[in-house]
Amino acid sequence: MLAKRSLIMLSRQQQQRLPEVLDVMSPGPGLLDEKMLLLVLRAANWNPFLLCTSAQVCKRWADIMKRVVWKEFCLSRAPKMVGHLLSGGRDGTIPGGWEPLGKLMFYCSGCHASTHFISKTIPGHFVWKTRFSKTSGKWFLIPQCQADILYISKICEHLDNGDDDDLVLYRGIFSSFGTSRTRRVLMERGAKLEEDELCPFCRDKVWSMTNAKLVPASAVKRLVAYEDNVEYFVCVNGHLHGMASRISPSDSELSADE
Ligand SMILES: [Zn+2]
Ligand SMILES: [Zn+2]
């Protein structure tokens, strides 16, 4: 917080010069020492606001964030899931990197109108706490891909007080996506990477699961959504982000008796 407050007090010109100043001063003692920075961030329990602010201070701090801090953040927030992702990865690495995984944990990416899913735009927002479940992930896999491990977040509800549909957003990550059955089926079906959509977490290319006809009925049911209004994307690193129009309460009361 101190670093952020100090930055606010500086003029724009001074802020632009700050990285140069810090580079001249390094290597040095105090806060510029990597271990000291890590101790401060650990004491703040890897607060994601502080992490994002610190990453903007200078290139050196941004490098430390990428190399060490985001990994610590991920391990502190979801040790079980990260352990599983690591066991399926190569040489202790996470496909796409630690920073996108960290972002996945605290950021609902919002949505915008897409080719397959007409919707209003919802900006992304911070989520203080989210639970990821691989049991929930099974609902989003077609029968022949049930052996894959997919973690899905708790659904983020965006309710509309007007005439528009209520939207639900969700995100997730595959373990060992490179060798998953889902990826193999995408290849077998000749699925093409989307032209106008990128992964909000790693900014890499994505496939539309709707376009590839890989959205199972169980996902529609799980989301309590209209059948033609479920869309999710999976990027080349295995991150998933999706949206759906939720069935209005009057309709869902009818389906609840089934
Ligand atoms: Zn949300
Ligand atoms: Zn991604």
Side-chain angles (χ1 to χ4, degrees):
M1 285 307 291
L2 189 60
K4 188 179 178 186
R5 218 171 283 152
S6 304
L7 275 175
I8 292 167
M9 289 168 68
L10 294 173
S11 69
R12 184 176 293 243
Q13 197 181 14
Q14 284 172 320
Q15 283 187 36
Q16 283 169 350
R17 281 198 60 247
L18 190 59
E20 296 169 31
V21 173
L22 290 171
D23 281 342
V24 170
M25 290 171 73
S26 63
L31 270 179
L32 293 177
D33 182 83
E34 183 172 321
K35 281 183 188 162
M36 181 63 84
L37 176 61
L38 292 178
L39 284 173
V40 170
L41 295 174
R42 182 181 295 154
N45 191 26
W46 311 111
N47 181 307
F49 284 121
L50 188 56
L51 265 56
C52 293
T53 307
S54 303
Q56 290 173 25
V57 170
C58 66
K59 189 175 176 303
R60 187 172 170 217
W61 281 27
D63 288 344
I64 297 170
M65 297 293 147
K66 266 194 189 141
R67 192 158 36 82
V68 189
V69 178
W70 284 114
K71 179 179 179 180
E72 295 299 327
F73 170 81
C74 295
L75 285 167
S76 74
R77 295 304 190 269
K80 242 176 151 178
M81 180 175 89
V82 171
H84 213 141
L85 295 174
L86 279 173
S87 67
R90 258 187 263 158
D91 306 327
T93 59
I94 295 279
W98 290 104
E99 190 176 354
L101 179 60
K103 195 172 176 185
L104 182 89
M105 290 185 186
F106 68 78
Y107 182 67
C108 168
S109 57
C111 71
H112 56 87
S114 71
T115 316
H116 318 290
F117 180 86
I118 307 303
S119 150
K120 59 192 172 186
T121 296
I122 294 175
H125 64 92
F126 182 82
V127 182
W128 190 250
K129 204 171 184 183
T130 299
R131 191 174 157 270
F132 286 83
S133 160
K134 60 180 176 179
T135 308
S136 297
K138 296 289 179 203
W139 293 78
F140 292 78
L141 298 168
I142 59 171
Q144 60 263 49
C145 296
Q146 284 291 311
D148 289 348
I149 304 291
L150 168 63
Y151 285 88
I152 287 284
S153 70
K154 189 171 177 288
I155 285 162
C156 186
E157 293 183 323
H158 290 261
L159 306 180
D160 189 277
N161 295 321
D163 296 333
D164 287 340
D165 290 334
D166 293 336
L167 295 184
V168 289
L169 307 180
Y170 44 97
R171 57 202 192 280
I173 183 166
F174 277 85
S175 176
S176 309
F177 180 65
T179 55
S180 68
R181 287 169 194 234
T182 299
R183 190 179 184 283
R184 199 162 69 206
V185 172
L186 281 166
M187 296 298 105
E188 286 167 0
R189 294 187 180 180
K192 296 232 170 9
L193 290 162
E194 294 291 297
E195 298 272 326
D196 305 319
E197 184 81 23
L198 289 175
C199 173
F201 309 110
C202 70
R203 310 305 297 168
D204 228 320
K205 300 244 180 200
V206 297
W207 287 281
S208 162
M209 303 301 268
T210 309
N211 210 17
K213 302 200 182 335
L214 281 174
V215 176
S218 54
V220 178
K221 191 176 174 188
R222 179 72 171 177
L223 295 163
V224 197
Y226 294 105
E227 197 177 334
D228 297 334
N229 276 315
V230 174
E231 167 81 286
Y232 46 97
F233 300 94
V234 176
C235 81
V236 293
N237 294 311
H239 304 126
L240 180 151
H241 70 285
M243 60 214 83
S245 277
R246 180 152 277 185
I247 293 175
S248 64
S250 53
D251 292 344
S252 64
E253 276 165 23
L254 292 174
S255 60
D257 293 334
E258 288 175 4

